[in-house]
Amino acid sequence: TEGPPPGGEEGIIYVDAVHGNDRNNGLTPRTAFATIRKGIDAAADDEVVLVYPGLYLEEINFLGKSLTVQGVAVSPAGVPVLWNPDDFAVSFYSGESPDSILKNFIIKDSFMGVFIADSSPTLSNLTVVGNTYGIEAYAGSEPDISSTILWDNTDGDLFGCRARYSCIERGSQGEGNITADPLFADPDNDDYHIRSERGRYWPQFDIWVLDRVTSPCVDAGDPAADTSNEPTPNGGRINIGAYGGTAEASLSPSEQTRPQSNKASNPSPADGAQNAGINITLSWTAGLNAVSHDVYL
């Protein structure tokens, strides 16, 4: 089926700017809230706020809660976008800990992408682009920032904090960081997928295409991060940026081997796997010269 499943899961609050309503209960995708603010208000510690694609014109404030706010990639809409032109797009100033997690968002064209004071949240797989300021931390904050792109932020990318395994335009000390152009697909038209010679999703036509170059952000994210939601070949390592760790992650050129027979191989989930998630992406290595495959469950 297209889009989210009809039922909800315990411990998850759903937000959908396009189809949701803040008068809903937020407990299923069909009864999602319209704003992230409402989702955070309704969520308890250790719960997950799943945010579907759309433009969110609001400031996110975690209110001191230990929860995960995560963007969901849904083709062809992509991942959610945060935009707050005259203020902060995201704020942490209520003593948030590393258990306050933000991931898989594009944060763009705001006064400041993320403001942190006296807090140490976890930020991963963000694309922070075109803001006046990127991410700033004050008052002893020690955020854990990883697998994030900070680019074209006019007055600075990072202040008072460091990132690791990230792409930072002005450079930053930190393990695994790069400063090379992330090679966005079409930033002028808000397409922040990263280019890949092996394959990159093109939302305008809902297809995968081959680029002539590959972004340095492919296979360059936190090596400890889970890659199970990225399509194969994924190089066994997550991509940097908002689409890293999602079904729209650009493919890895490092794995282009073909089987030596006409049989498909390397299924994921593996043959005999149990307890596979309902939203898992099915994948396999194509048989030589195959034009179609039969899939058996």
Side-chain angles (χ1 to χ4, degrees):
T1 61
E2 292 185 359
E9 296 183 38
E10 186 176 354
I12 296 180
I13 301 295
Y14 297 87
V15 177
D16 187 337
V18 179
H19 303 105
N21 190 309
D22 278 353
R23 293 189 295 272
N24 290 339
N25 61 23
L27 298 180
T28 73
R30 288 182 175 176
T31 60
F33 295 125
T35 65
I36 302 170
R37 182 179 303 169
K38 183 68 174 180
I40 292 175
D41 285 344
D45 284 344
D46 301 322
E47 290 191 325
V48 176
V49 179
L50 281 185
V51 183
Y52 284 89
L55 181 62
Y56 292 84
L57 301 171
E58 56 178 307
E59 177 182 350
I60 294 180
N61 187 326
F62 271 60
L63 305 175
K65 295 183 178 183
S66 297
L67 49 81
T68 297
V69 178
Q70 179 173 357
V72 179
V74 179
S75 303
V79 296
V81 176
L82 304 178
W83 180 33
N84 197 4
D86 299 320
D87 211 332
F88 308 146
V90 184
S91 296
F92 298 92
Y93 52 76
S94 300
E96 286 85 1
S97 73
D99 292 329
S100 298
I101 301 169
L102 180 74
K103 60 191 302 185
N104 297 117
F105 283 88
I106 295 168
I107 305 174
K108 64 186 293 286
D109 299 338
S110 299
F111 173 70
M112 185 178 296
V114 182
F115 171 79
I116 306 168
D118 192 29
S119 301
S120 300
T122 299
L123 312 177
S124 66
N125 286 108
L126 305 176
T127 295
V128 184
V129 59
N131 305 283
T132 304
Y133 301 96
I135 302 174
E136 297 201 356
Y138 299 88
S141 298
E142 295 183 358
D144 181 4
I145 305 169
S146 65
S147 306
T148 289
I149 298 174
L150 293 115
W151 206 259
D152 197 28
N153 299 297
T154 55
D155 289 351
D157 295 316
L158 290 174
F159 178 82
C161 54
R162 293 185 179 184
R164 56 191 179 86
Y165 298 105
S166 294
C167 178
I168 306 167
E169 182 175 11
R170 292 167 178 80
S172 171
Q173 294 182 348
E175 183 179 6
N177 288 339
I178 59 176
T179 59
D181 187 336
L183 298 178
F184 294 126
D186 189 4
D188 291 339
N189 290 299
D190 297 327
D191 183 358
Y192 293 100
H193 292 83
I194 53 177
R195 295 181 180 271
S196 169
E197 296 162 271
R198 182 61 177 83
R200 179 255 306 172
Y201 181 66
W202 191 5
Q204 183 179 354
F205 296 100
D206 192 20
I207 59 173
W208 287 76
V209 295
L210 305 180
D211 294 304
R212 294 186 178 183
V213 294
T214 296
S215 166
C217 297
V218 172
D219 299 345
D222 183 355
D226 181 18
T227 62
S228 62
N229 289 327
E230 291 194 352
T232 55
N234 57 39
R237 185 167 168 183
I238 202 168
N239 290 351
I240 297 175
Y243 290 99
T246 76
E248 292 186 15
S250 299
L251 303 183
S252 171
S254 64
E255 297 180 21
Q256 301 190 51
T257 58
R258 284 187 174 272
Q260 298 303 309
S261 73
N262 61 355
K263 293 184 178 181
S265 61
N266 191 32
S268 178
D271 187 23
Q274 299 182 25
N275 300 319
I278 191 66
N279 292 321
I280 200 164
T281 301
L282 305 179
S283 63
W284 58 87
T285 301
L288 187 64
N289 299 321
V291 294
S292 66
H293 298 83
D294 292 332
V295 179
Y296 299 90
L297 299 179

